[in-house]
Amino acid sequence: MSETIFLHPATFFILGAMLLPVAQRFKLQKILLLVVPLLAFYQIRFLPESFGVCHFMGFELIFGRVDKLTYVFLHVFTLMAVIGSVYGLQVKESGQHMAAFLYVAGSLGVTLAGDYLTLFIFWEMMAFASTFLVWYRKRTKSIEAGYRYLLVHTAGGLVLLAGIFLRYQNVHDLSFGQIAADGATLADYLIMIGFMLNAAVPPIHAWLPDAYPEATVTGAVYMCAFTTKTAVYVLARGFPGFEALAILGAIMTLYGVGYAVIENDARRILAYHIVSQVGYMVCGVGIGTAMAINGACAHAYAHILYKALLFMGAGAVLEMTGKSKLNELGGLYKYMPISLIFTVIGGISISGFPLTSGFISKSMIIAAAGEHHRLGLLLMLTLAAVGTFLSVGIKLPYFIWFGKDSGVKAKEVPWNMQLGMAIAAFMCIFLGFYPDYLYNMLPFEVHYHPYSAYHLSETFQILGFTGLGFFLMVKKLKPEPKSNLDLDWFYRKGALVFMWVASKPISIANDWIGEVYRTVGMRFTLAVARAMSWFDWEGIDWVLDGSAKGVVKGADELRTLQTGKVQHYIGGAVVALFLILIIIVLI
């Protein structure tokens, strides 16, 4: 190990996860849940540029590499860990908190990794730890969704690992840095595909709306923050300026928001909106200019906070009513007014209302597309903003809190859940009022002023016409209890086809082969066995036994020559002597 060893922020969470069962036994779990993320949030500002460099089996491993791109993600990840811990204080299962802590540790490890091997280790830690946040809901659907989530991420991890191996074979270097789009090889594209899977880029996105709605209330809050944003970080670090990312990102914005408009389940709507909003970031990475990378980072920071706030609001409703489908909800404003206010703040933030975090971050990417003369991208990103306000800014809060009274009665969530939502809501408003707090953390110097007359005018027009359209079409947009097909249909049906093939043709073939063996194979085997037995008895035994019998017979005949009379032995010796002399004379 080098002399630049520094305590890795992930260490706090790994040690905290190990201590949680003990802390629960001594009723110290809540204190530990608060102390660990607060320590990490405080420590990251003192991290040196490089630490934790060591050599293992000839490889140089870099556990800590810190620059401005790293810092902005570390800041929001540790802040989100604080918010998530506060929100989940009422959860008594230490296993669920352990999974959350290890999940956060994995994302911090990926963000700080300076080489592909270290990155891969923490990458897989994230995948396995987050799976338990789905399984801990303990429903059959959650267990099944967790398995699908784990299988998809394992497949993505294998693609990533294949890319890392091929890259090492090509360049004999595992350092994780920027890859030039012009000289990218197959290995580089495999690595990018591995990253894109975690960013939920279509068509490898279906794991997200499949798993996140099935996670626990607290687990979904963590999951919406870390996996996709860690992927955005590694894409921004390694693949800025790749045209494929710009195009796929723009498609993501429309794809996700399109499904969000027609979905019925509140958490599934929010899951699809992650696809849409991460699309802005992926598009920004693909454009690759300083403004676009700044926009991707700023939007990742803002999105983590307001999407967590929305998941906390939907989770609060699920926690108190046991329901998350819009057609089963309505009129809850009377029972949960505080949760209503926080959810609406999340909704207007994601919609990009002025004086919220969404206004000062998302618009930076759209402006970068315009500055780069990418009119197609500009149009797609702007159109997605309309769908965002329609689905999450209006539809979601309207049918949960207002609309037709569903008759469902509830009460406000515990104080800690309200506090978690309050911190996130404060940050959404704070960033809207004081964007320089975020801009000063961005990788490049910022030359962008969100509160221009043009931007304000454009925003008010989009929001105004979208709001008018909703109230004119509110009956058409009424949620219905239905399932929408997505690309997960292929692997769900693929699994059914696999099970059918295994239980029908393969099982029938197996039975047929077994019957053939019993009828033909068994008889043949018995016949061979009988032949071998015969050969053993009649062949080998005859030879061996016959030889033995001959030896015994010869010995018996020789024994008869032993008469015990001296004259017989002398006579025999004389005969033998004559025979020898005759033979010598003849020869």
Side-chain angles (χ1 to χ4, degrees):
M1 294 284 286
S2 72
E3 296 179 355
T4 58
I5 297 174
F6 198 87
L7 187 60
H8 198 293
T11 310
F12 292 113
F13 291 93
I14 294 172
L15 290 176
M18 295 169 65
L19 291 174
L20 271 169
V22 180
Q24 186 189 36
R25 190 171 183 179
F26 293 98
K27 298 183 179 178
L28 297 172
Q29 179 169 281
K30 292 182 179 178
I31 295 174
L32 190 62
L33 286 173
L34 294 176
V35 168
V36 167
L38 284 172
L39 276 175
F41 182 65
Y42 175 76
Q43 189 228 7
I44 58 164
R45 68 197 64 195
F46 302 109
L47 289 174
E49 291 185 357
S50 177
F51 62 93
V53 181
C54 65
H55 293 85
F56 177 71
M57 297 179 66
F59 299 111
E60 185 182 63
L61 307 182
I62 305 170
F63 285 84
R65 179 209 20 214
V66 183
D67 55 17
K68 294 199 74 172
L69 178 61
T70 311
Y71 182 75
V72 65
F73 281 89
L74 286 180
H75 192 274
V76 71
F77 284 161
T78 49
L79 174 60
M80 188 57 229
V82 173
I83 294 172
S85 290
V86 171
Y87 185 77
L89 280 178
Q90 85 287 352
V91 177
K92 294 180 181 177
E93 293 170 312
S94 58
Q96 195 175 153
H97 293 299
M98 290 171 68
F101 270 13
L102 292 174
Y103 182 35
V104 177
S107 65
L108 295 178
V110 169
T111 309
L112 283 163
D115 66 280
Y116 280 108
L117 197 56
T118 307
L119 183 149
F120 181 77
I121 293 168
F122 285 108
W123 190 264
E124 291 305 299
M125 181 191 286
M126 285 176 55
F128 281 89
S130 55
T131 302
F132 285 90
L133 296 176
V134 182
W135 280 342
Y136 258 103
R137 198 175 175 196
K138 300 175 182 175
R139 300 197 319 164
T140 302
K141 286 185 176 180
S142 301
I143 301 296
E144 293 172 350
Y147 275 117
R148 290 192 292 270
Y149 175 85
L150 184 59
L151 287 173
V152 170
H153 281 274
T154 302
L158 290 174
V159 173
L160 173 60
L161 189 61
I164 292 171
F165 281 159
L166 286 175
R167 179 172 173 77
Y168 183 75
Q169 187 180 34
N170 294 339
V171 300
H172 302 289
D173 183 15
L174 285 178
S175 300
F176 175 41
Q178 182 174 344
I179 295 170
D182 295 338
T185 63
L186 173 64
D188 301 323
Y189 281 109
L190 287 175
I191 292 171
M192 190 172 77
I193 290 171
F195 292 163
M196 285 166 56
L197 186 139
N198 272 30
V201 176
I204 47 178
H205 70 286
W207 58 269
L208 196 157
D210 181 31
Y212 284 17
E214 295 301 329
T216 65
V217 169
T218 306
V221 174
Y222 278 101
M223 293 179 78
C224 75
F226 292 103
T227 299
T228 51
K229 306 321 171 299
T230 309
V232 169
Y233 163 76
V234 291
L235 287 172
R237 169 73 69 188
F239 299 93
F242 275 64
E243 181 63 17
L245 293 178
I247 297 171
L248 287 171
I251 293 172
M252 283 176 74
T253 61
L254 292 175
Y255 191 95
V257 84
Y259 269 96
V261 170
I262 61 174
E263 267 296 336
N264 181 39
D265 187 289
R267 298 208 304 172
R268 200 166 166 84
I269 291 173
L270 296 177
Y272 271 115
H273 254 289
I274 294 177
V275 176
S276 175
Q277 296 298 302
V278 171
Y280 283 94
M281 304 166 211
V282 172
C283 182
V285 171
I287 294 171
T289 61
M291 168 85 86
I293 298 295
N294 273 344
C297 296
H299 198 45
Y301 191 105
H303 180 262
I304 285 174
L305 294 171
Y306 60 62
K307 184 48 63 76
L309 178 56
L310 287 164
F311 262 101
M312 285 190 277
V317 174
L318 179 62
E319 180 84 3
M320 305 314 293
T321 67
K323 301 179 185 300
S324 61
K325 294 184 177 176
L326 299 187
N327 68 301
E328 298 173 354
L329 296 168
L332 290 179
Y333 71 94
K334 294 174 286 188
Y335 309 107
M336 303 175 69
I338 297 175
S339 298
L340 157 67
I341 292 170
F342 292 142
T343 309
V344 169
I345 291 174
I348 62 174
S349 296
I350 197 174
S351 303
F353 265 66
L355 303 180
T356 66
S357 56
F359 183 79
I360 61 108
S361 62
K362 188 189 306 182
S363 56
M364 190 180 285
I365 301 172
I366 298 174
E371 189 179 76
H372 208 238
H373 307 293
R374 304 299 299 271
L375 296 182
L377 299 180
L378 179 68
L379 180 61
M380 294 169 77
L381 299 179
T382 304
L383 189 59
V386 174
T388 299
F389 181 50
L390 179 64
S391 56
V392 179
I394 304 177
K395 176 185 170 182
L396 186 74
Y398 179 82
F399 287 108
I400 290 179
W401 307 104
F402 305 103
K404 185 180 178 182
D405 193 337
S406 62
V408 175
K409 293 182 170 50
K411 58 181 182 180
E412 272 295 356
V413 290
W415 68 269
N416 61 289
M417 295 177 76
Q418 294 182 39
L419 179 58
M421 288 189 282
I423 298 171
F426 168 78
M427 289 302 299
C428 289
I429 301 298
F430 173 70
L431 294 176
F433 274 89
Y434 184 48
D436 285 347
Y437 179 80
L438 174 57
Y439 288 173
N440 290 334
M441 286 190 279
L442 296 178
F444 303 101
E445 189 176 354
V446 176
H447 303 285
Y448 178 69
H449 302 284
Y451 292 102
S452 64
Y454 172 79
H455 186 203
L456 286 168
S457 172
E458 177 193 41
T459 302
F460 282 125
Q461 288 179 49
I462 291 173
L463 298 178
F465 280 110
T466 307
L468 178 63
F470 174 81
F471 286 103
L472 291 175
M473 301 176 62
V474 64
K475 292 184 180 179
K476 299 288 184 184
L477 293 172
K478 185 179 178 181
E480 298 177 0
K482 61 181 182 180
S483 298
N484 298 304
L485 295 177
D486 197 353
L487 295 179
D488 60 335
W489 181 87
F490 289 100
Y491 63 73
R492 285 170 182 262
K493 292 297 180 185
L496 291 177
V497 170
F498 175 79
M499 293 300 294
W500 182 85
V501 170
S503 61
K504 297 295 182 182
I506 292 180
S507 179
I508 292 171
N510 181 60
D511 293 343
W512 183 80
I513 292 171
E515 189 64 28
V516 169
Y517 173 75
R518 281 190 293 274
T519 55
V520 179
M522 186 69 78
R523 291 179 182 177
F524 176 75
T525 304
L526 289 173
V528 170
R530 281 195 290 270
M532 294 300 292
S533 175
W534 177 87
F535 179 73
D536 180 50
W537 279 98
E538 301 300 330
I540 295 176
D541 286 0
W542 182 85
V543 172
L544 294 177
D545 292 349
S547 300
K549 288 175 183 177
V551 171
V552 172
K553 187 178 179 181
D556 290 342
E557 290 175 352
L558 284 173
R559 192 167 56 238
T560 57
L561 299 176
Q562 295 177 343
T563 61
K565 295 178 178 179
V566 176
Q567 60 270 30
H568 290 169
Y569 297 148
I570 294 172
V574 171
V575 171
L577 180 61
F578 273 108
L579 288 174
I580 293 169
L581 288 173
I582 291 168
I583 292 170
I584 292 171
V585 170
L586 291 175
I587 296 174

